[in-house]
PDB file of all heavy atoms in Angstrom:
ATOM      1  N   HIS A 122     111.361  74.187  65.945  1.00  0.00           N
ATOM      2  CA  HIS A 122     110.793  74.927  66.946  1.00  0.00           C
ATOM      3  C   HIS A 122     111.405  74.933  68.326  1.00  0.00           C
ATOM      4  O   HIS A 122     111.241  75.900  69.193  1.00  0.00           O
ATOM      5  CB  HIS A 122     109.151  74.751  67.074  1.00  0.00           C
ATOM      6  CG  HIS A 122     108.819  73.639  67.772  1.00  0.00           C
ATOM      7  ND1 HIS A 122     107.753  73.507  68.569  1.00  0.00           N
ATOM      8  CD2 HIS A 122     109.446  72.354  67.862  1.00  0.00           C
ATOM      9  CE1 HIS A 122     107.667  72.200  69.008  1.00  0.00           C
ATOM     10  NE2 HIS A 122     108.767  71.541  68.689  1.00  0.00           N
ATOM     11  N   ASP A 160     102.555  71.431  68.002  1.00  0.00           N
ATOM     12  CA  ASP A 160     103.470  70.329  68.330  1.00  0.00           C
ATOM     13  C   ASP A 160     103.136  70.023  69.864  1.00  0.00           C
ATOM     14  O   ASP A 160     102.859  70.995  70.538  1.00  0.00           O
ATOM     15  CB  ASP A 160     104.896  70.656  68.105  1.00  0.00           C
ATOM     16  CG  ASP A 160     105.795  69.499  68.280  1.00  0.00           C
ATOM     17  OD1 ASP A 160     106.121  69.200  69.432  1.00  0.00           O
ATOM     18  OD2 ASP A 160     106.243  68.922  67.210  1.00  0.00           O
ATOM     19  N   VAL A 161     103.234  68.837  70.189  1.00  0.00           N
ATOM     20  CA  VAL A 161     102.915  68.483  71.596  1.00  0.00           C
ATOM     21  C   VAL A 161     104.036  69.044  72.580  1.00  0.00           C
ATOM     22  O   VAL A 161     103.605  69.245  73.756  1.00  0.00           O
ATOM     23  CB  VAL A 161     102.796  66.999  71.874  1.00  0.00           C
ATOM     24  CG1 VAL A 161     104.067  66.132  71.923  1.00  0.00           C
ATOM     25  CG2 VAL A 161     102.020  66.698  73.114  1.00  0.00           C
ATOM     26  N   HIS A 162     105.163  69.381  72.149  1.00  0.00           N
ATOM     27  CA  HIS A 162     106.144  70.075  72.985  1.00  0.00           C
ATOM     28  C   HIS A 162     106.018  71.424  72.852  1.00  0.00           C
ATOM     29  O   HIS A 162     105.829  72.041  71.734  1.00  0.00           O
ATOM     30  CB  HIS A 162     107.497  69.503  72.571  1.00  0.00           C
ATOM     31  CG  HIS A 162     107.672  68.062  72.588  1.00  0.00           C
ATOM     32  ND1 HIS A 162     107.563  67.244  71.535  1.00  0.00           N
ATOM     33  CD2 HIS A 162     107.986  67.172  73.664  1.00  0.00           C
ATOM     34  CE1 HIS A 162     107.725  65.935  71.786  1.00  0.00           C
ATOM     35  NE2 HIS A 162     107.948  65.968  73.177  1.00  0.00           N
ATOM     36  N   ASP A 249     102.904  64.855  67.062  1.00  0.00           N
ATOM     37  CA  ASP A 249     103.237  64.034  68.329  1.00  0.00           C
ATOM     38  C   ASP A 249     102.089  64.290  69.334  1.00  0.00           C
ATOM     39  O   ASP A 249     102.281  63.697  70.381  1.00  0.00           O
ATOM     40  CB  ASP A 249     104.633  64.290  68.802  1.00  0.00           C
ATOM     41  CG  ASP A 249     104.925  65.852  68.599  1.00  0.00           C
ATOM     42  OD1 ASP A 249     104.044  66.581  68.429  1.00  0.00           O
ATOM     43  OD2 ASP A 249     106.201  65.982  68.908  1.00  0.00           O
ATOM     44  N   GLY A 291     107.493  67.970  64.817  1.00  0.00           N
ATOM     45  CA  GLY A 291     107.679  66.609  65.367  1.00  0.00           C
ATOM     46  C   GLY A 291     106.526  65.737  64.806  1.00  0.00           C
ATOM     47  O   GLY A 291     105.691  65.961  63.919  1.00  0.00           O
TER      48      GLY A 291
HETATM   49 ZN1  LIG B   1     107.267  67.626  69.377  1.00  0.00          ZN
END
Side-chain angles (χ1 to χ4, degrees):
H122 76 146
D160 187 280
V161 77
H162 302 95
D249 40 10

